Amino acid sequence: MTETEPTLTNVVIRAALPPDAADIARVHVEAWRAAYVGIVPQAVLDRLSIDRRQQFWANRLTDPGESRTFVAICDGRIAGFAGTGRPSDPEHPEGTAELETIYLLPEAWRIGVGRLLIRRSTGDLAERGFSSAILWVLTENERGRRFYEAVGWQGDGRVQMLDFDGTPVEEMGYRLDFRGGSTGPG
Ligand SMILES: CC(C)(COP(=O)(O)OP(=O)(O)OC[C@H]1O[C@@H](n2cnc3c(N)ncnc32)[C@H](O)[C@@H]1OP(=O)(O)O)[C@@H](O)C(=O)NCCC(=O)NCCS
């Protein structure tokens, strides 16, 4: 490894607070623009607004309800976040949560920060009595799918279509059971 490559030497995971909304919004937009090129129409990526995302996150962090959001602080600044809540689809049994979001700045990819964030999120869900969690991932998001599979999630056969400006984009369901308190490997 060269001296300029990022490392995991200084990473802190903590619960997100309302003043984090602007940083989370910036991570959200930068991650979308880097991860979804060629998957989500470019016009949709170009229109993403940090201000609108900031408003969303300010509201969510001020009035979280059952949602929980964690941030990853790398070398003193927010480099990623993950959020959980109740599944939007009411067909899931009681005890099922949803990993709604996990995004990192591109420069923080593939150094283990995502693993720390998702472990914190699923650990929190297990501690709060949830027995399993589901998520949706764009089928063409190979990076995301490899990541989820590496940390113990499995495709559960659910498929749904999203509509981005009239372009249909498929997403797949994944699931993790917290058997015996396990929230996934490593
Ligand atoms: C998906 C994401 C959160 C993963 O976080 P990350 O910090 O990059 O992942 P980690 O470094 O913790 O990787 C953990 C394991 O996942 C697997 N993995 C992660 N990225 C991978 C990739 N690009 N290709 C193959 N396997 C990968 C590996 O097994 C890795 O372990 P290893 O590095 O020891 O081999 C991050 O890449 C990201 O923000 N991507 C863009 C946004 C996104 O797609 N979010 C998911 C939306 S549903």
Side-chain angles (χ1 to χ4, degrees):
M1 180 176 283
T2 68
E3 286 180 12
T4 54
E5 283 178 325
T7 62
L8 253 190
T9 50
N10 192 6
V11 180
V12 173
I13 310 292
R14 65 156 169 81
L17 301 167
D20 297 328
D23 287 335
I24 291 175
R26 187 175 54 84
V27 172
H28 205 153
V29 169
E30 285 193 31
W32 265 66
R33 288 190 172 140
Y36 295 155
V37 170
I39 301 176
V40 169
Q42 193 58 43
V44 173
L45 299 179
D46 291 343
R47 272 205 314 275
L48 292 172
S49 156
I50 294 179
D51 286 348
R52 280 199 304 271
R53 296 314 303 173
Q54 180 174 347
Q55 194 55 56
F56 170 88
W57 282 105
N59 291 340
R60 157 121 351 170
L61 296 173
T62 304
D63 185 13
E66 288 192 90
S67 73
R68 294 289 185 280
T69 308
F70 292 96
V71 286
I73 319 281
C74 300
D75 293 324
R77 70 178 196 140
I78 290 178
F81 66 95
T84 61
R86 291 270 180 187
S88 43
D89 182 343
E91 82 173 20
H92 297 287
E94 192 67 22
T96 308
E98 179 164 353
L99 180 77
E100 297 173 333
T101 184
I102 179 166
Y103 289 99
L104 306 181
L105 290 175
E107 57 263 36
W109 290 354
R110 204 63 201 268
I111 55 171
V113 179
R115 193 188 285 273
L116 294 178
L117 262 177
I118 201 167
R119 291 279 290 165
R120 182 65 172 268
S121 295
T122 52
D124 168 72
L125 291 172
E127 275 173 29
R128 291 162 58 214
F130 289 94
S131 54
S132 62
I134 52 102
L135 62 78
W136 290 104
V137 56
L138 299 181
T139 302
E140 289 184 64
N141 181 3
E142 290 285 337
R143 178 186 304 102
R145 289 175 54 198
R146 296 291 87 79
F147 166 71
Y148 292 131
E149 289 160 16
V151 294
W153 295 67
Q154 291 183 324
D156 62 10
R158 291 174 303 134
V159 173
Q160 70 179 10
M161 299 305 292
L162 300 179
D163 183 323
F164 287 106
D165 273 359
T167 301
V169 178
E170 186 185 277
E171 52 179 10
M172 302 173 52
Y174 274 69
R175 179 181 183 88
L176 178 69
D177 289 309
F178 309 151
R179 282 187 218 97
S182 165
T183 50

